[in-house]
Structure formats: structure tokens, C-alpha cells
Amino acid sequence: MTNPSTHLDIVATPGVFADLATAQDLVTRALSARGLTGGIVDAAAGSDEVIVVPGAGVPIDMASHRSVVRVDLGQSTPDRSDGIRTHIRGRGLDGLRFAIDSVYFHRFHPGTIVSYGDHPEQRVELRVPDGDGPFPVAVLIHGGYWRSRWEFDLMDAMAVDLTARGYATWNIEYRRPDEHGWDTTTADVAAAIAALNTAPGDLDLSRTVLFGHSAGGQLALRLAADSAGKPGTPALAVSLAGVLDLRVADERWLGEGAVSNAIGARYAGAQETYQNSSPISRLPLGVPQLVVSAASDDPNLLEISRAYYAAASASSDSVASIEGPGGHFAVIDPASEIYQDMVREVDARIRGTRDHASE
């Protein structure tokens, strides 16, 4: 088997960038960070996967490409044309960095896509460690304030790191409520977890850990509460800078009204839905928990995590807390100190020192 190429082309339609030099600088830094070469070109040669920035609403001629990551700098409908592996949209110029990371992880650390429903967003990326199982399972639920422009590529680095540490990783995508409704999102996350029962590989489902980042923290801990005491109850639920109190998050208009946009109403108009969905209202969850928060995160999210930990500690739940340096994404960055602290705590709880992975 040949080694994957370290060269990556970004094919951009002339004029798609307001200032080409700014885009080139961003691309150079992002490629260098992953040990790749390449850059922005008018056309790409060869059969490797490329990034294409065609411009809003412009179709891509796939005749020249084996596989494409499409990038639209503004918001757009998803492009599900054959040959387009993923479509990064609505993330501005920084979408180029996310696209480069996506190609890197797909090329050098590929997983297996597993569908758990008929919709294209009802999918999971499974990575299974080398060696003999059964392997503990890390379920990853991404954030993005429940908005469709943010997808499960946010968790790629964490998935690759945990797989290298001996966890099978189950990185789930789900339909977001801005395009599909709140109940659909909740149902998709539950269905994605249920699909573990038929997942390929030698998996130890009794050692399943739910990891949820930001809005995914709400989804993970709400799912833990829904599944407590039932078959498939997780061994541990981990909130990574999670939105754990929806009432407070709505009152403070976090994410420019992300909570009410997702649920479809402010707290006063949908109290039952908020209470059923908000982890702090579901205490005790009946599942052991780890609450992780970074000191330089949004102070509202830091306060919410601290208040949740205090309330959970006063309940019958087993709960621990980790705080450390960094911002909102440090908690899912394998290079950060707080991430390393978090993994050591999870390892101690799930595998113990006799099975502790080297770092």
C-alpha cells in the first residue's frame, strides 16, 4: 500500500476571495501545521482528494477529481453531489483551515462511515484501534450551538487521538434543529447511540463513554439521563465546556439566541421542553459524570459548568470536575494541558492503571 500524498491542492474560482493574499496566508499556515504542501491553484492534477472553492451556488465539474471537499465561505444549502465527501459551509474564510484538517484526517487517519438512518446526516465515523479487543468506546458528540454549518469534523482530532490510545471512537453526525427541528436532533442522537449495538469491531459497550463538546455537552448529558438504568447505559458522561443549563443560556442570549433558535421558543414559552432537555434540570442523571471547563472560555459557560458541578455534587450522582488553562476549544485539542488531564481522568475511571495507555 502506497503512502498517502502530503500534497494538497485548493482549487478556487478566480475572484471568490475578496483578498487572495489573505487566503493564501491562511492556507500556508494550515498546511504547514499538518505537515502538508500545496496551495491555492486554478486547477489540480492527479487523483488525490482536493478542496474546491467554486463560489456560492456554482456546481463542481467532478470529471477532474476523484474526491472533493467543497467549501462555501457563506451559508448555503448542502451540496450532496456524487464525489463530494463533505461540504464545509458558512464558516467564512476559516472554512479553508477546517477543510485542510478534514483532508488531513481523512487521508492519514481514515475511519469507516456507518449510516444509522436514511438521511445523509444520519451517519457516524467509526475508528477502531489496532490490536485485539474488546475496546472501550468513546462516543463523540460535536457542538456548534446546534447549527448546521458545524459538523462532526470538529471532533476529528479528538477521535484520532482517542483511537491511538486504545478507544474505539464513534463520532456521530446528526440533523441539527435549525434545519430539522429540536425533536429530530434528540431522536438522531439517541438512534446513533443505539446503532452501537450492531457496529462492526470488537467493542466493549459496557465501557462506553459519552463525550459532548459545547452544545454536544447538553446532548450527551441529556442522553445519559434518558438512558440511565436501561440497557446501554453509559459508564461515564463527559461534558466538555457543555451548555448544561438551557434556561440560563437562553436568558443570557448565548450564541446570539442559539438555545431559542434550536428549541423554537424562549424559556417562558417552552418550559417543559427546556426542563426535559437541560441537564441541570435532570439531576440526578443516574450516570457518573465528568465536568470539564477551560478558564478562558466564555465566562457564562464557565459559570454554568461550575453551577452544574455544584448541583450534581449535591445530588446522588458520582461527579468530578476538571478546570484548566485555555479557551473553548482547548477541551477537545489533544495538544492542550486540560485535554491531557481529562483523558487521564477518563482512563482511570474506565480502564484503570493496569490498562492505562501510554501518552
Side-chain angles (χ1 to χ4, degrees):
M1 182 177 179
T2 59
N3 292 326
S5 171
T6 58
H7 183 84
L8 174 58
D9 288 324
I10 295 92
V11 182
T13 299
V16 74
F17 302 118
D19 180 71
L20 180 59
T22 303
Q24 288 173 328
D25 287 345
L26 185 153
V27 164
T28 298
R29 291 193 302 272
L31 289 171
S32 177
R34 296 300 181 189
L36 303 176
T37 61
I40 299 172
V41 297
D42 293 331
S47 61
D48 292 316
E49 186 170 66
V50 299
I51 295 169
V52 177
V53 193
V58 177
I60 297 173
D61 180 1
M62 295 298 301
S64 303
H65 310 301
R66 177 184 60 82
S67 178
V68 163
V69 172
R70 176 172 183 146
V71 177
D72 279 300
L73 308 182
Q75 189 61 276
S76 64
T77 56
D79 187 342
R80 307 199 192 282
S81 304
D82 290 343
I84 294 180
R85 179 175 62 80
T86 191
H87 182 190
I88 292 174
R89 53 197 174 108
R91 304 187 196 181
L93 197 61
D94 206 33
L96 293 172
R97 178 177 63 84
F98 286 105
I100 289 167
D101 282 354
S102 178
V103 172
Y104 168 79
F105 288 116
H106 183 253
R107 198 176 279 185
F108 293 93
H109 304 279
T112 300
I113 297 298
V114 178
S115 296
Y116 63 90
D118 295 331
H119 193 276
E121 291 173 358
Q122 292 178 299
R123 67 191 192 277
V124 173
E125 187 157 29
L126 169 66
R127 290 179 171 91
V128 179
D130 295 330
D132 298 327
F135 302 105
V137 180
V139 174
L140 308 182
I141 307 177
H142 73 82
Y145 272 135
W146 308 279
R147 290 178 172 131
S148 292
R149 68 177 181 271
W150 300 108
E151 299 193 356
F152 67 169
D153 64 286
L154 292 174
M155 307 297 275
D156 279 346
M158 185 173 175
V160 168
D161 179 78
L162 289 175
T163 303
R165 293 172 182 268
Y167 290 83
T169 56
W170 189 251
N171 185 13
I172 73 170
E173 189 55 276
Y174 52 91
R175 290 173 288 180
R176 268 74 79 217
D178 59 341
E179 294 183 356
H180 301 283
W182 185 251
D183 290 343
T184 296
T185 295
T186 299
D188 273 7
V189 172
I193 305 303
L196 271 171
N197 291 313
T198 56
D202 191 4
L203 312 184
D204 181 358
L205 300 187
S206 70
R207 295 188 292 167
T208 297
V209 184
L210 303 183
F211 293 90
H213 178 235
S214 194
Q218 175 270 322
L219 294 170
L221 268 62
R222 187 254 169 88
L223 179 67
D226 288 345
S227 63
K230 302 175 183 177
T233 300
L236 180 66
V238 183
S239 167
L240 303 165
V243 188
L244 304 180
D245 188 330
L246 297 184
R247 179 185 61 80
V248 170
D250 179 56
E251 288 176 352
R252 303 204 184 158
W253 206 240
L254 298 192
E256 297 299 309
V259 178
S260 59
N261 287 339
I263 290 178
R266 300 297 303 271
Y267 174 76
Q271 291 188 31
E272 183 177 355
T273 300
Y274 274 74
Q275 289 168 359
N276 287 338
S277 303
S278 187
I280 200 167
S281 300
R282 300 292 299 275
L283 289 170
L285 304 189
V287 172
Q289 300 144 58
L290 177 61
V291 180
V292 184
S293 47
S296 298
D297 199 353
D298 180 333
N300 295 289
L301 288 176
L302 181 59
E303 182 191 26
I304 285 172
S305 286
R306 288 172 171 172
Y308 178 88
Y309 172 67
S313 298
S315 77
S316 58
D317 283 344
S318 170
V319 59
S321 174
I322 292 176
E323 288 190 18
H328 189 60
F329 290 95
V331 295
I332 59 170
D333 179 2
S336 74
E337 176 184 326
I338 190 172
Y339 178 91
Q340 298 289 334
D341 290 344
M342 179 272 295
V343 170
R344 279 191 288 269
E345 178 67 21
V346 171
D347 271 346
R349 287 169 170 261
I350 298 301
R351 301 195 293 190
T353 54
R354 64 175 177 83
D355 193 22
H356 193 79
S358 60
E359 297 177 7

